[in-house]
Amino acid sequence: MTHWLVDSPGSGDGTRNADFWLEHLQAQGISDVEVCHLDEQNQWRDRVSKGDCLMAAGGDGTVNGAAEICLETGAVLAILPSGTANDFARNLNIPAEPEQVARLVAEGPIQHIDVAVAGKRIFLNVAHIGLGTLPAREADSPTKKWLGKFSYVATLFRQIGEQRGFHAEIQTDKSAMKGRWLSIAIASGAFFGGGHEIPGASADDGQLNLIAVKPRPLLQLLFAFLMVRLNGETPQRTSTVVQVKSPVCQVHTQQSKSVTVDGDEAGTTPFEAVCKKGALRVIGREVVRAGRAM
C-alpha cells in the first residue's frame, strides 16, 4: 500500500504543507509517502491502486479532488486538515492536533460516507447558489487571508445589503418550493460555512440538506446570521431560513446563477444533485451526527 500526500501549499495560512505533514507521518511509522499535487495528477493518477491511501492536505477543494480519485480507483481517503474552515473534517471528528491526525492515519479505521453527485462533479460538503457563492469566488481576497474561517460571514455581511435575491424553484423527492431566495445551500454533511451545524444531519445518512435563505430587511438578515453563529447551528425553519432533507434535489432559476461546490466554481444553474449513500471510504473513528433530529 502506498500513501499519497496530496499537497495544497496555498491552503489555510500555508504552514501545514507537505514537509509539515511528512514529519508527523514519519513519527507514526508512515514512510512510504509519495508527495503529489492535484494540478499535476496526469503524472501520477494512473499509479494509484485499490487499497492505497490518498491523504488530502488542504481545504474542502483539495479533499474533493482527492475523493474523486478515490472513487475511481478504490483508494481510501484520509484528511490532513490544512484549510481555512475544514468543514468536511468536522464530519469525521478529525482531531486538530497534527500528532493525533497522523496517528489516526496510521491506525486506519474506516468509515463509509455519502457522496453528492451533481452532473460530472461530486461534492462532499456543500454546493451554493446565490449569495453563498461569494466567499468562494473571492477566495484570494485579503478578507480570507486576514480573517480565516470568519471570512465567510464577513464576506456575506459586506455584500448582503446589495442583494435582492433571485427567483427559483427548489424540487425534492417530496416537495417543491417557489419564491425569491437570497441563497440556497445544498449540504452533503453536517457542517458548512465555517462550522455552521445542520440540525439532524450527518455525512452517512443518505440525505442532502437544503438550506434556503429568503430576502429580508438587512437588520433581520444580520440578526439571523448572528443567531446561527451564536447557536452554532442552522435553524430548521424560520421566517428567514428553510431547511429540507431529501436524497435528491433540483434548482431551477429564472436567470442563470453561479454555482460553487466545495469552494470551487462549478458552472451555472439549473442544478441537480443526488446523494450516493456510503459511496466513499474515509479514515475516521466516527461519523458526527449533528444537533437534534428533525
Side-chain angles (χ1 to χ4, degrees):
M1 180 180 75
T2 300
H3 288 82
W4 300 85
L5 200 166
V6 185
D7 189 26
S8 180
S11 295
D13 60 7
T15 60
R16 293 193 171 194
N17 56 16
D19 290 337
F20 172 90
W21 285 111
L22 283 172
E23 179 180 350
H24 291 287
L25 292 167
Q26 289 169 359
Q28 296 297 326
I30 302 175
S31 56
D32 60 330
V33 178
E34 294 263 6
V35 178
C36 53
H37 300 83
L38 286 175
D39 57 3
E40 299 173 351
Q41 61 183 277
N42 62 314
Q43 301 176 17
W44 55 270
R45 185 168 179 159
D46 290 344
R47 293 191 286 130
V48 178
S49 302
K50 184 177 182 180
D52 283 358
C53 179
L54 263 67
M55 304 177 293
D60 291 330
T62 304
V63 173
N64 180 295
E68 186 176 282
I69 298 172
C70 288
L71 288 169
E72 293 184 4
T73 63
V76 176
L77 179 66
I79 314 300
L80 309 180
S82 307
T84 302
N86 300 310
D87 279 318
F88 178 71
R90 299 171 193 267
N91 287 296
L92 292 159
N93 199 21
I94 303 295
E97 297 77 9
E99 296 85 357
Q100 294 185 27
V101 174
R103 188 179 306 120
L104 180 65
V105 175
E107 294 172 355
I110 301 296
Q111 303 293 334
H112 290 78
I113 59 123
D114 302 339
V115 173
V117 179
K120 296 182 179 180
R121 298 288 300 265
I122 67 166
F123 61 97
L124 305 177
N125 191 40
V126 66
H128 279 293
I129 302 167
L131 186 63
T133 65
L134 292 176
R137 289 156 61 193
E138 298 185 9
D140 296 325
S141 70
T143 299
K144 184 169 184 177
K145 296 181 184 299
W146 294 339
L147 297 180
K149 67 179 182 179
F150 297 106
S151 63
Y152 183 91
V153 176
T155 300
L156 296 184
F157 280 8
R158 179 160 47 85
Q159 297 283 347
I160 202 168
E162 304 174 9
Q163 304 294 318
R164 296 184 177 181
F166 56 94
H167 287 287
E169 180 177 2
I170 304 170
Q171 296 180 332
T172 70
D173 62 332
K174 297 178 180 178
S175 65
M177 299 182 293
K178 291 183 178 180
R180 182 178 287 272
W181 310 97
L182 194 63
S183 178
I184 301 171
I186 301 96
S188 175
F191 302 93
F192 78 104
H196 295 321
E197 185 175 310
I198 305 171
S202 72
D204 64 350
D205 62 0
Q207 298 288 314
L208 301 172
N209 284 271
L210 288 80
I211 299 97
V213 181
K214 302 175 183 179
R216 291 291 184 264
L218 179 59
L219 288 179
Q220 186 174 344
L221 288 169
L222 292 179
F223 177 76
F225 279 117
L226 180 61
M227 289 298 98
V228 168
R229 177 56 61 182
L230 291 177
N231 293 333
E233 64 180 29
T234 300
Q236 293 174 313
R237 185 177 293 268
T238 69
S239 61
T240 304
V241 181
V242 176
Q243 178 191 347
V244 179
K245 296 175 77 72
S246 174
V248 297
C249 79
Q250 295 179 349
V251 179
H252 299 272
T253 56
Q254 286 188 354
Q255 297 181 334
S256 180
K257 301 293 294 183
S258 295
V259 179
T260 61
V261 298
D262 286 351
D264 292 331
E265 294 188 53
T268 59
T269 54
F271 175 84
E272 183 174 352
V274 58
C275 184
K276 300 294 186 180
K277 182 174 174 60
L280 180 67
R281 295 190 301 153
V282 185
I283 290 179
R285 297 199 189 286
E286 63 177 340
V287 178
V288 175
R289 285 161 176 77
R292 59 189 182 278
M294 293 187 65

